[in-house]
Amino acid sequence: MPSVSSIHQEIQQALLKIATAERKKSTLQFFKEPIQCYGVSNPDAKSIGTIYYQKIKQCDKAFIWEIAEALLASGWIEEGMIACQWVLKRKKEFTWEDRLIFERWIQLYVHNWAICDTFCNQSVGALIMQFPEATELLYSWTTSENLWVRRAAAVSLIVPAKRGSFQTVIFDICNLLLTDTEPMVQKGYGWLLKVYSQRQLQKVYDYVMRYEDIMPRTAFRYAIEKMPAAMKDRAMGRG
């Protein structure tokens, strides 16, 4: 069986081989916060992840988790995206104990919106659908000093929101994040409300109108983005 370090080094070499300065410059433009990137596109990084996953797909979940953590801990965004890809491939093996592992990873290794949204939307969202009681963690995340943990509290509910599930939790989390001063957190729960409005339009509309005086405009605009034009105009005071 290959070692964690050998697989990690092979992935790094594969990424370096196809990285370009042009792609690195393009990637950096999408982030206000500092990030480390090789300069590899998401599709190409995913292809590398797919190739190397074939070498370890027969390994047990614990081994996959060990490599995933090494990739996340590296700080390189392309490696983090591969880690997210591999964890999601094992979603049928998620257990109740994984909620604490995922929480630790978010607290330690998530430093930008791309990894936050990919990991939380996909893997944490899938875990919540399997273990609804795991939503208890989200409440504590809303008070974290780490803005990415607070954003994670909202974006981890995107998958449930798409299915129209967890209404009470969704509005609870939005209440707790309602006056957050960080734009990335505002965008996170605004996105959650926007997605949930596709299932519960009137309830989301009533919610944003109830709090329009205290909800940051960034979150407000995100929340109403997909609403019908007439409803949007009323929310913006144009009708």
Side-chain angles (χ1 to χ4, degrees), residues 27 29 35 38 63 68 80 84 97 101 108 124 127 134-135 137 140 158 163 179 192 216 224-225 239:
T27 300
Q29 292 175 349
I35 66 162
Y38 289 94
F63 185 76
C84 295
E97 289 70 27
I101 295 173
L108 292 177
V124 181
L127 184 139
T135 55
L137 290 176
S140 64
I158 296 293
R163 302 185 184 187
T179 57
L192 173 60
I224 67 173
E225 185 178 346

Side-chain angles (χ1 to χ4, degrees), residues 90-188:
R90 307 303 280 260
K91 67 180 180 180
K92 291 183 179 178
E93 299 175 53
F94 287 175
T95 64
W96 175 242
E97 289 70 27
D98 285 327
R99 79 197 191 286
L100 299 179
I101 295 173
F102 292 177
E103 178 180 53
R104 182 171 60 81
W105 289 355
I106 293 166
Q107 292 170 340
L108 292 177
Y109 309 128
V110 173
H111 307 298
N112 59 74
W113 63 262
I115 299 298
C116 181
D117 294 359
T118 303
F119 181 64
C120 295
N121 191 338
Q122 297 178 353
S123 293
V124 181
L127 184 139
I128 287 171
M129 292 302 295
Q130 293 178 43
F131 303 99
E133 298 85 356
T135 55
E136 67 187 21
L137 290 176
L138 307 185
Y139 290 83
S140 64
W141 294 358
T142 64
T143 60
S144 173
E145 293 183 1
N146 184 330
L147 77 91
W148 302 113
V149 176
R150 300 200 306 277
R151 181 178 172 98
V155 301
S156 294
L157 289 164
I158 296 293
V159 168
K162 286 179 179 178
R163 302 185 184 187
S165 305
F166 297 95
Q167 177 175 293
T168 299
V169 179
I170 287 170
F171 286 128
D172 281 350
I173 295 301
C174 290
N175 283 339
L176 292 168
L177 297 173
L178 191 62
T179 57
D180 198 292
T181 58
E182 286 287 349
M184 294 307 293
V185 178
Q186 296 168 9
K187 291 176 182 179

Side-chain angles (χ1 to χ4, degrees), residues 8 11 15 45-46 48-50 52-53 56 64-91 94 102 105 109-110 115 118-120 122-123:
H8 192 178
I11 290 171
L15 289 168
K46 187 174 182 178
I48 288 173
T50 298
Y52 283 92
Y53 185 74
I56 59 167
I64 303 296
W65 268 209
E66 190 176 351
I67 298 180
E69 181 161 9
L71 292 166
L72 286 166
S74 74
W76 293 92
I77 196 164
E78 293 93 342
E79 292 187 36
M81 295 300 278
I82 291 172
C84 295
Q85 176 189 3
W86 287 5
V87 171
L88 187 63
K89 284 181 179 294
R90 307 303 280 260
K91 67 180 180 180
F94 287 175
F102 292 177
W105 289 355
Y109 309 128
V110 173
I115 299 298
T118 303
F119 181 64
C120 295
Q122 297 178 353
S123 293

Side-chain angles (χ1 to χ4, degrees), residues 197 200-210 224 227 231-232 234-235:
S197 74
Q200 294 289 346
L201 176 60
Q202 190 62 49
K203 288 181 179 178
V204 173
Y205 177 80
D206 291 344
Y207 179 86
V208 297
M209 295 310 293
R210 185 182 312 129
I224 67 173
M227 291 183 181
M231 191 173 275
K232 235 163 121 176
R234 289 198 304 273

